[in-house]
Amino acid sequence: MKFGKEFASQMVPEWQAAYMNYNFLKTLLKEIMIFRQQQSLSQDNQVNLRPQPLKVGTLKRRGSLFRAFSGLTSRYGMKSPKKDKEDEVILVSAMHTADEEQGEHVHGQSYQTFFLRAAEQGSEYEIVFFRRLDDEFNKVVSFYRAKVEEVVKEAEELNLQMDALIALRIKVNDPAAVTPFINERNTGYPLEVIHEEQQEKGLDRPREYQMASLDVLKHVKINTTAESPLSAVKSLFNSSKSDLQFNKNELRDAKEKLKQAFIEFHEKLRFLKNYAFLNQLAFSKIMKKYDKITSRNASDAYLKMVEESYLGQSDEVAKLIERVESAFVKHFCNGNRHQGMSTLKPNAKRRRHRVTFFVGCFFGCSLALVVAIIVNMHNRDLLKSNGRTQYMNTIFPLYTLFGFLVLHMLMYAANVYYWTRYRVNYSFIFGFKPGTEMGYTEVLLLSSGLSVLTLAAVLSNLEMELDANTKSYSTLTELLPLGLVIVVLLITFCPFNIFYRANRFFLLVCLWRCICAPFYAITLPDFFLADQFTSQVQLLRSLQFYVCYYGWGDFKQRDAKPCNESDVYDIITIVIAVIPYWIRLLQCIRRWWGGQDPTQGLNGLKYFSTIVAVVSRTIQTQLTQKKLKAAARTFKIIAGSTSGVATIFNTYWDIAMDWGLLCKNSDNPWLRDKLILPNRSIYFIAMVLNVILRLAWMQTVLDFHDAPFLHKNALIAIVACLEIIRRGIWNFFRLENEHLSNVGKFRAVKSVPLPFSYEHDDKNQ
């Protein structure tokens, strides 16, 4: 792999703009090379009558074999031979800023390179190259210095948090042992910490101990109250932080929060260390390319400056990594370094070839089953049989549930593939535990496996219904979809570490938080999942039909009329359709009330308008089925107007707010300044598709007409599939916009709430 691709693959996606622009500098070098080639050709044309030297390109490799061996341990030394001043190409100097010269605090120095061969022909290309090279280097140093200052401040905050944790641990675990030390020095309990000055100087002295002060507990409040509906209700009446009760639950919760804070802080430090290393390597590579193209020797001088700069000399990050690892192993892993390092540095997820193999097998089986079902239906002319209508009213809605699930998973697999391809950090955005996120092959494995089970059940249902030898088992035929639902639910709630338990648990937690929407702080996975349910209303109605069809025993006669003609069933149908939008409305209210985003008030209004449209449409459909023409005509007007308003509102919000597009004065007209996809036309196509698919959904909502060649349930299923496809397209651009928001803020690590709160006066003392 070329260095440019390797360099891009190892970047922190959210910091990509802060890295050295290697490709841009390569294009400048290419311009220098083209100029030199043209100059060489012009000289050759002038002396074309002279005998040309023999080309010895084939001896180039052999000549390199006679060079002196430099040694594996640099036995000839790292210093290059001294050069005369006549051989110097560049002069690099550190330029102090005006504020620094006046004695004020600044971030450091800026570096400037002077090209000493400006009199040569074509030197303007090299002057531009070094000017841009300096810009990139100053950008990298400035970003690195700012991030180092940021992590130093975070380290100081973690120091205060650890003081409070250790004091709380002493108070909870062994309060009686504290008394002698308090009486003796009034400082607390001995904490075994070797002074860093002794470690750095290598002094062999007896260990000196610092004392962990219990006075800290008088000046902190705890934030470890577990987030729950009950705690949310209590916070409405008492907004202050809870006081310390000195119990083991507080200690456990505080320790868990601080442990997670250390893990995220260590990850940020590793990102910074890798950032410094990659950029130094990139500057080395680009200067070596310059020397090779120009046959000069300027890299030594420039790389010496890079090595002596803050980027090369700063060791704060390395020291912090050592101290964080030491403290983490000691205080959170009982001194077990192997356990501590495996937690701080989780192993990279490896791709398993058997997953790809089974995906291929399941997709092949699915295609074979589809062909078998089509052939079976054609040979027996099932589409024109007397039982077609009965089958479409009963069995078809039972199996469409799995079709909606499979299609949604396929769209999600496509999203994961393109997020990975265009380096959208979906794992960080969703908050997956490192190494547990599912790749697109794993999602395809689940979807293809479920499709095989569903299609096999459909084919078995057809065979058992039509086979003369098994017609007596008609009741068993009806139980096949229910058995499949039970299998899916058992796998979903299985407590054992199989079938991607971490992802299933993550999904269930997000689902619970959606159900208890106003009582939890809303995170992106919560409202992202709730948005998926707004596109799966028909799936929820299929679940409702399952409960009615099997709960009331209608499956024994294969008769759906008791469900469809029940007034209670009609009311539940309205409630089921409203639930996803109601959850999103509550989430918007919670985010608006908590001050997270003032625009969530308008977002909540959008979902309220959708609720009104869905309710009016459902009532209008039910009145039409009951042949109450006058009332149905009135509600059709209401449904048409409310659905039109909701469609316009939702479409604008999708494109302008969720996708961040329709920016008139941006660098990319009507899009946004930063785009991930290289082809801008894809964004316009996505916007048009969003409008069309929403209008298709609106057509079903208004119930304009039924297709004569399709059963009504089939038409409903097709339009529901179009909505799922629209949601899949929405998912990609929604997460792309979130990723670019993180990139703009250079936010690459989760912010973990700390367990203790210090007052400002106490923190400064």
Side-chain angles (χ1 to χ4, degrees):
M1 181 185 293
K2 292 185 177 181
F3 176 75
K5 293 183 178 179
E6 185 178 356
F7 182 54
S9 66
Q10 295 188 24
M11 289 180 181
V12 178
E14 289 75 14
W15 294 355
Q16 188 171 359
Y19 283 82
M20 187 253 269
N21 196 336
Y22 184 79
N23 290 331
F24 174 67
L25 294 176
K26 276 183 63 178
T27 59
L28 297 181
L29 288 179
K30 189 175 181 180
E31 292 178 1
I32 297 174
M33 182 178 66
I34 292 174
F35 173 79
R36 286 180 165 265
Q37 289 176 347
Q38 292 175 348
Q39 188 180 31
S40 177
L41 288 175
S42 63
Q43 292 177 356
D44 290 343
N45 291 333
Q46 293 176 1
V47 293
N48 56 0
L49 296 178
R50 298 181 183 178
Q52 300 297 320
L54 180 64
K55 294 183 179 180
V56 290
T58 56
L59 300 178
K60 184 177 180 181
R61 178 67 180 171
R62 179 179 297 180
S64 64
L65 299 177
F66 294 96
R67 295 176 183 172
F69 182 53
S70 58
L72 299 177
T73 57
S74 301
R75 62 182 180 181
Y76 294 109
M78 297 298 296
K79 295 182 179 180
S80 58
K82 294 183 178 180
K83 298 180 294 183
D84 296 334
K85 290 186 177 181
E86 296 179 355
D87 296 331
E88 292 181 356
V89 180
I90 58 174
L91 177 63
V92 186
S93 62
M95 309 295 291
H96 296 279
T97 61
D99 290 338
E100 186 177 4
E101 291 173 354
Q102 295 173 5
E104 299 179 7
H105 175 71
V106 293
H107 287 303
Q109 301 170 323
S110 63
Y111 297 88
Q112 184 174 357
T113 303
F114 299 94
F115 185 62
L116 303 180
R117 303 294 179 86
E120 294 182 4
Q121 187 177 5
S123 61
E124 61 273 11
Y125 292 101
E126 298 179 59
I127 293 174
V128 170
F129 169 75
F130 282 109
R131 189 180 302 159
R132 297 290 180 252
L133 185 67
D134 289 339
D135 292 341
E136 293 298 318
F137 183 72
N138 290 325
K139 176 188 73 174
V140 169
V141 173
S142 176
F143 177 82
Y144 183 70
R145 189 187 297 272
K147 284 296 178 182
V148 169
E149 293 177 356
E150 183 180 316
V151 296
V152 168
K153 291 179 181 179
E154 292 178 11
E156 294 174 356
E157 181 65 30
L158 287 177
N159 285 339
L160 297 175
Q161 295 289 319
M162 285 301 300
D163 291 340
L165 177 68
I166 293 171
L168 180 62
R169 180 185 294 164
I170 296 168
K171 187 73 174 178
V172 171
N173 290 336
D174 196 6
V178 179
T179 307
F181 294 96
I182 294 179
N183 295 334
E184 181 179 354
R185 292 190 180 183
N186 195 27
T187 55
Y189 200 74
L191 173 65
E192 296 184 4
V193 178
I194 303 177
H195 283 270
E196 294 176 2
E197 291 81 3
Q198 296 180 7
Q199 287 183 334
E200 293 176 0
K201 296 179 180 179
L203 300 179
D204 186 12
R205 294 181 181 177
R207 288 188 174 185
E208 298 180 10
Y209 299 101
Q210 294 178 347
M211 308 301 293
S213 175
L214 296 184
D215 290 338
V216 173
L217 299 179
K218 299 178 182 179
H219 307 289
V220 298
K221 293 183 178 181
I222 195 166
N223 308 321
T224 59
T225 304
E227 192 178 15
S228 66
L230 182 60
S231 65
V233 174
K234 289 182 178 179
S235 65
L236 294 176
F237 302 98
N238 183 18
S239 59
S240 62
K241 306 294 183 182
S242 59
D243 294 329
L244 283 164
Q245 302 297 324
F246 305 111
N247 56 48
K248 291 187 177 181
N249 290 333
E250 286 180 341
L251 178 61
R252 184 188 65 250
D253 294 340
K255 181 178 178 181
E256 190 62 32
K257 280 193 172 184
L258 261 183
K259 180 179 179 180
Q260 189 62 35
F262 266 81
I263 292 174
E264 297 298 331
F265 184 62
H266 185 267
E267 184 178 16
K268 188 173 185 178
L269 292 175
R270 287 192 290 113
F271 284 165
L272 265 179
K273 183 178 179 181
N274 185 60
Y275 174 85
F277 171 76
L278 278 180
N279 279 287
Q280 291 182 74
L281 184 59
F283 282 107
S284 174
K285 290 287 185 179
I286 204 69
M287 286 305 301
K288 296 295 184 184
K289 283 184 176 293
Y290 171 81
D291 285 353
K292 182 178 180 181
I293 291 173
T294 61
S295 301
R296 302 188 192 277
N297 192 9
S299 60
D300 291 343
Y302 200 90
L303 295 181
K304 181 181 179 182
M305 178 273 293
V306 172
E307 184 179 353
E308 294 176 352
S309 67
Y310 185 83
L311 185 69
Q313 293 295 321
S314 175
D315 60 349
E316 286 94 337
V317 174
K319 288 182 178 179
L320 277 175
I321 289 177
E322 293 179 2
R323 294 168 189 166
V324 167
E325 292 175 354
S326 177
F328 187 84
V329 169
K330 179 177 181 180
H331 293 282
F332 299 102
C333 299
N334 296 323
N336 189 336
R337 184 168 180 80
H338 177 73
Q339 177 187 352
M341 297 310 296
S342 62
T343 304
L344 290 174
K345 298 180 180 179
N347 295 327
K349 187 177 179 181
R350 295 187 304 175
R351 292 189 62 182
R352 298 178 178 178
H353 296 290
R354 65 172 177 265
V355 173
T356 307
F357 172 77
F358 281 111
V359 167
C361 288
F362 287 153
F363 267 104
C365 292
S366 299
L367 291 176
L369 288 170
V370 168
V371 172
I373 292 172
I374 294 174
V375 170
N376 201 330
M377 294 174 63
H378 178 72
N379 290 340
R380 306 191 184 194
D381 203 13
L382 297 182
L383 295 179
K384 297 180 181 180
S385 63
N386 295 329
R388 171 180 175 269
T389 302
Q390 187 182 22
Y391 190 92
M392 293 298 296
N393 288 332
T394 55
I395 302 300
F396 182 78
L398 298 177
Y399 283 114
T400 53
L401 179 143
F402 304 103
F404 297 148
L405 275 179
V406 170
L407 179 60
H408 211 123
M409 286 193 289
L410 290 175
M411 293 301 298
Y412 180 70
N415 286 329
V416 172
Y417 172 78
Y418 285 105
W419 287 333
T420 305
R421 179 177 177 180
Y422 293 106
R423 294 181 58 77
V424 175
N425 197 353
Y426 72 96
S427 176
F428 165 68
I429 294 174
F430 285 135
F432 293 128
K433 185 178 179 181
T436 63
E437 70 278 4
M438 295 178 65
Y440 68 93
T441 52
E442 286 86 357
V443 181
L444 287 176
L445 177 66
L446 294 180
S447 60
S448 59
L450 180 59
S451 68
V452 169
L453 292 177
T454 304
L455 293 172
V458 171
L459 184 61
S460 300
N461 208 319
L462 291 175
E463 290 292 340
M464 296 180 71
E465 177 64 23
L466 298 173
D467 194 340
N469 298 325
T470 56
K471 276 190 175 181
S472 58
Y473 297 97
S474 58
T475 302
L476 180 62
T477 303
E478 304 297 312
L479 291 176
L480 281 175
L482 179 63
L484 197 54
V485 168
I486 293 174
V487 170
V488 173
L489 291 177
L490 288 177
I491 293 175
T492 303
F493 291 95
C494 177
F496 303 108
N497 191 15
I498 54 176
F499 297 113
Y500 305 102
R501 183 180 64 175
N503 294 273
R504 289 188 287 106
F505 181 76
F506 183 86
L507 175 64
L508 293 175
V509 169
C510 290
L511 181 60
W512 173 251
R513 292 171 67 93
C514 288
I515 295 173
C516 306
F519 303 111
Y520 286 97
I522 308 302
T523 59
L524 187 141
D526 300 335
F527 67 76
F528 193 87
L529 179 62
D531 277 323
Q532 308 309 305
F533 281 114
T534 60
S535 296
Q536 286 284 12
V537 172
Q538 206 55 44
L539 181 145
L540 298 177
R541 285 177 173 168
S542 296
L543 287 175
Q544 174 195 358
F545 184 73
Y546 265 91
V547 174
C548 180
Y549 190 68
Y550 290 104
W552 272 259
D554 299 336
F555 69 96
K556 296 178 181 179
Q557 292 82 28
R558 185 178 278 186
D559 187 8
K561 287 184 178 181
C563 292
N564 295 332
E565 296 178 357
S566 172
D567 293 336
V568 176
Y569 187 85
D570 291 342
I571 295 174
I572 295 176
T573 301
I574 298 174
V575 174
I576 288 292
V578 166
I579 285 177
Y581 302 102
W582 178 253
I583 291 174
R584 284 297 289 124
L585 175 61
L586 294 178
Q587 289 178 338
C588 293
I589 293 174
R590 173 59 191 263
R591 294 182 70 190
W592 172 72
W593 184 267
Q596 297 179 5
D597 188 356
T599 61
Q600 290 304 311
L602 289 175
N603 199 15
L605 184 62
K606 177 193 73 173
Y607 286 106
F608 180 76
S609 67
T610 307
I611 289 174
V612 174
V614 169
V615 170
S616 60
R617 186 268 307 168
T618 308
I619 294 176
Q620 181 259 327
T621 302
Q622 293 173 355
L623 291 174
T624 302
Q625 291 175 350
K626 295 179 180 180
K627 298 182 180 180
L628 301 174
K629 296 183 179 180
R633 192 178 301 111
T634 302
F635 269 92
K636 187 171 185 178
I637 297 173
I638 297 174
S641 58
T642 55
S643 297
V645 172
T647 300
I648 295 172
F649 202 166
N650 280 272
T651 302
Y652 173 78
W653 196 274
D654 283 349
I655 297 174
M657 304 301 294
D658 291 339
W659 294 358
L661 304 176
L662 294 182
C663 300
K664 183 178 180 180
N665 298 321
S666 69
D667 296 338
N668 303 294
W670 298 108
L671 300 178
R672 45 175 132 78
D673 292 336
K674 294 184 178 179
L675 302 173
I676 289 182
L677 298 180
N679 192 348
R680 291 187 298 176
S681 61
I682 296 178
Y683 293 91
F684 294 103
I685 294 173
M687 287 190 281
V688 173
L689 280 177
N690 186 277
V691 175
I692 293 175
L693 294 176
R694 276 201 178 275
L695 289 176
W697 181 255
M698 179 180 171
Q699 180 182 4
T700 304
V701 167
L702 296 178
D703 195 19
F704 288 138
H705 61 273
D706 294 334
F709 55 89
L710 282 177
H711 190 273
K712 182 178 180 180
N713 287 338
L715 181 62
I716 292 174
I718 291 174
V719 178
C721 290
L722 293 178
E723 171 62 16
I724 294 172
I725 293 172
R726 187 198 68 81
R727 179 60 60 183
I729 298 172
W730 180 90
N731 288 344
F732 176 83
F733 294 101
R734 176 64 184 87
L735 220 67
E736 178 202 21
N737 193 27
E738 186 70 21
H739 172 75
L740 292 175
S741 176
N742 290 336
V743 169
K745 300 174 183 177
F746 297 106
R747 186 168 49 199
V749 179
K750 291 186 293 184
S751 58
V752 179
L754 298 175
F756 301 103
S757 294
Y758 281 82
E759 296 181 2
H760 293 291
D761 295 338
D762 298 328
K763 190 184 288 189
N764 296 330
Q765 289 179 354

